[in-house]
Amino acid sequence: MGRKILYLLFSALLWNCSTTKAPTEAEISSLQEVMQHQSFEFIAEWANPMATRSLNNISNAGLLPPGSNVTRINLMGNPNYLRVMGDSVSGNLPYYGERQFNAGYGSATGIEFDGRAKSYSGVYDTDKNAFKIQFKAKNNTEQYTVNLLVYPNRTAQVSVTSSDRLSIRYEGAIKEIDKHNNQ
């Protein structure tokens, strides 16, 4: 009797783990259309910095937002964005982590850039069921490599690698920008 219950529990566990909802053709088509127009905005809900001794000290001092820990920081209520409009990109994302090189006076505290994207590429990855975008951007003092992974349900992950700081990853969602209202 005990083996049957154990077998049923194990089967139920496997069934629940393997039933992820596959995106529909309509969701994929809609996402591809947004990505082809290159007119969207990402809003981060979570920041996932690299855990370092400094961040542990900040966490131990109780300075992280409620519901956060060293490797997952809640950004709800924290204004931020990453926008793609044609070949122009702009971003203003909060940064949690360590700077590897000294910053000059007036340097940005967050991930901030505004200008033309360099080496922009975007392709749909059928293995991950997601649109992969990569580009390079810079401001006066730093250069960034930005990688986006956008899923058909419009959730997204953004990884930012900087020339001066440790890398950081963000989780959030994208929305299409109406070009007619933003000109």
Side-chain angles (χ1 to χ4, degrees), residues 33-40 84-88 120 179:
E33 186 175 325
V34 170
M35 296 297 110
Q36 286 173 349
H37 288 129
Q38 292 181 348
S39 180
F40 61 91
V84 175
M85 291 285 294
D87 62 353
S88 296
Y120 186 98
K179 291 182 182 182

Side-chain angles (χ1 to χ4, degrees), residues 144-159:
Y144 304 104
T145 300
V146 180
N147 291 290
L148 284 88
L149 199 56
V150 183
Y151 298 95
N153 66 357
R154 306 293 173 100
T155 60
Q157 296 178 357
V158 173
S159 298

